[in-house]
Amino acid sequence: MATIYEVSKLAGVSLATVSRVMNNNANVSDATRKKVTAAMDELGYRPNSIAQSLASNCSNSVGLLVSELQGPFYGPMMSGIENTFRNQGKHLIIAAGHSDEEREKQGIEFLISRNCDGLILHVEAVSDDYLIKLSKGRTPFVLINRYISELSDRCILLNNIKGGYLAAKHVLEQGHKDIAYISGPLWKRDAKDRLEGHKQALAEFNLEFDENLLFQGDFMEASGYEGLKSLHQQTHPFTALICANDEMAVGAMASARDLGLTLPKQLSIMGYDNVFFTRHVYPQLSTVNYPIDEMGRMAADWVLNHVYQKQTPPLQTLFEPELIVRHSISRQSAQITSQG
């Protein structure tokens, strides 16, 4: 393997000049830069990025920890983050925590050990105390979909209570009074907040939440399928089903068809997230837009601003959901009106 010394000798320049070329230092003439890069190409020289990062105390890499690498939700977020950093000459290292406390900690420690300049964390299982302690360390980080008051300036999140409210309010405005609900795991903050917003909308329409019409899913398609099947077997009737994410809603749609139900005439279904396939299922799924791609880019901008001192657009920490009305909610003949 060629060395920097061989590059220096072949190009006829000093070691310091080769180093300036590798670090894109402006104080190098174009002619000299061409000589050095030609020598590197001829020798097949590749800079040692680890050695460079130790020397400069900057690796130009950012760590990203997400809950899962699969599914339609995390892809747009990772893509938005990667594109933002790529345009700034930074690279992304990705790990998965699988919503498990120990795996999340292992993922964070791995990314720190890779000498990442900063971290973007989508974590659910580690405690607030752990993250507060981590914030006192040497590696800056920003949180997505997590709020800790002590770290409020580095928390980028969606107003999930409002999102749950918007979904339920739309269904209620179409005249539905008996509404089933498939939640995410209720130990997760976003699942709990969406259900809280759902209950707020019911109360506004002077309706009580029926625990018999609640099924706790896991945000995966299969739990939507099983959730509707379970709800359909009990004796409490319902004309609409609200799911805490689109994957479970699509699972519920498949389950409804297997049960012989016509959508949306016999059962209306509402999702949450507005992932790409919601426009392609039949009927097209009404849902709540979760701008996770924008939030990912905002987290990347936070790192560029706080870690690399780059000028970025104004940073936004709280994002608002938006109701997306399509064709999966039918109108009931008996209308009810809000009491608020």
Side-chain angles (χ1 to χ4, degrees):
M1 183 179 293
T3 67
I4 191 174
Y5 301 100
E6 293 172 297
V7 173
S8 170
K9 183 178 179 180
L10 181 60
V13 299
S14 68
L15 290 172
T17 298
V18 176
S19 178
R20 284 196 290 270
V21 171
M22 290 191 302
N23 290 308
N24 293 315
N25 192 304
N27 297 321
V28 180
S29 69
D30 287 343
T32 299
R33 191 180 302 277
K34 288 178 181 178
K35 284 198 300 183
V36 172
T37 54
M40 292 170 65
D41 290 341
E42 183 176 335
L43 293 169
Y45 176 76
R46 295 291 181 271
N48 186 320
S49 60
I50 296 176
Q52 281 184 301
S53 68
L54 290 173
S56 65
N57 201 31
C58 179
S59 67
N60 284 317
S61 62
V62 178
L64 170 63
L65 184 71
V66 294
S67 295
E68 300 292 341
L69 297 175
Q70 63 181 355
F73 179 77
Y74 294 103
M77 179 181 75
M78 291 188 285
S79 180
I81 292 171
E82 197 275 338
N83 286 335
T84 301
F85 285 134
R86 176 74 64 173
N87 291 335
Q88 294 292 328
K90 314 300 179 186
H91 294 277
L92 197 62
I93 301 175
I94 301 174
H98 303 288
S99 301
D100 176 83
E101 182 178 12
E102 192 56 38
R103 288 187 179 187
E104 288 182 351
K105 288 180 179 179
Q106 289 172 356
I108 291 170
E109 292 303 320
F110 164 76
L111 294 171
I112 292 174
S113 75
R114 296 295 91 189
N115 203 31
C116 291
D117 299 324
L119 305 177
I120 297 174
L121 304 178
H122 187 289
V123 289
E124 299 173 307
V126 292
S127 68
D128 289 357
D129 288 342
Y130 171 84
L131 292 169
I132 292 170
K133 183 178 179 181
L134 187 69
S135 71
K136 304 181 190 306
R138 297 178 58 184
T139 306
F141 66 86
V142 60
L143 296 168
I144 294 182
N145 198 32
R146 181 77 176 260
Y147 182 77
I148 301 172
S149 58
E150 293 88 341
L151 306 176
S152 59
D153 62 334
R154 63 176 82 193
C155 298
I156 296 174
L157 67 156
L158 181 73
N159 186 344
N160 276 299
I161 293 178
K162 182 178 179 181
Y165 169 84
L166 289 175
K169 184 171 185 286
H170 176 67
V171 173
L172 289 161
E173 287 175 340
Q174 305 314 303
H176 296 275
K177 293 187 285 186
D178 299 307
I179 304 171
Y181 192 90
I182 299 180
S183 74
L186 290 176
W187 64 268
K188 294 186 177 184
R189 182 80 258 171
D190 53 355
K192 190 180 297 184
D193 284 351
R194 291 171 197 182
L195 181 57
E196 174 61 27
H198 177 85
K199 291 179 178 179
Q200 286 183 9
L202 290 176
E204 186 175 292
F205 280 73
N206 202 28
L207 294 172
E208 292 186 5
F209 178 71
D210 187 347
E211 294 285 346
N212 294 300
L213 294 179
L214 171 66
F215 181 90
Q216 187 172 167
D218 61 5
F219 284 138
M220 299 297 182
E221 182 180 346
S223 69
Y225 186 96
E226 292 301 324
L228 178 57
K229 184 178 176 182
S230 174
L231 289 165
H232 191 261
Q233 288 173 345
Q234 48 83 41
T235 57
H236 297 259
F238 53 95
T239 61
L241 170 68
I242 297 178
C243 297
N245 79 340
D246 292 333
E247 287 192 67
M248 294 192 299
V250 168
M253 292 173 84
S255 184
R257 291 192 175 93
D258 286 349
L259 291 167
L261 300 175
T262 302
L263 304 177
K265 183 177 180 180
Q266 291 178 287
L267 179 65
S268 294
I269 298 181
M270 167 71 74
Y272 196 111
D273 284 343
N274 193 31
V275 298
F276 73 93
F277 58 67
T278 54
R279 302 183 301 275
H280 306 298
V281 295
Y282 182 80
Q284 290 183 325
L285 185 65
S286 292
T287 185
V288 173
N289 187 53
Y290 190 144
I292 190 61
D293 52 344
E294 296 177 35
M295 293 168 66
R297 286 191 290 269
M298 188 60 62
D301 280 347
W302 188 98
V303 173
L304 290 172
N305 184 276
H306 287 79
V307 177
Y308 297 109
Q309 287 73 55
K310 300 280 188 179
Q311 290 294 321
T312 62
L315 297 174
Q316 177 183 352
T317 56
L318 181 63
F319 285 75
E320 296 296 335
E322 178 188 2
L323 178 69
I324 306 295
V325 177
R326 296 197 178 102
H327 309 302
S328 62
I329 308 297
S330 67
R331 181 177 293 274
Q332 295 291 98
S333 57
Q335 295 288 304
I336 56 174
T337 57
S338 169
Q339 302 300 307

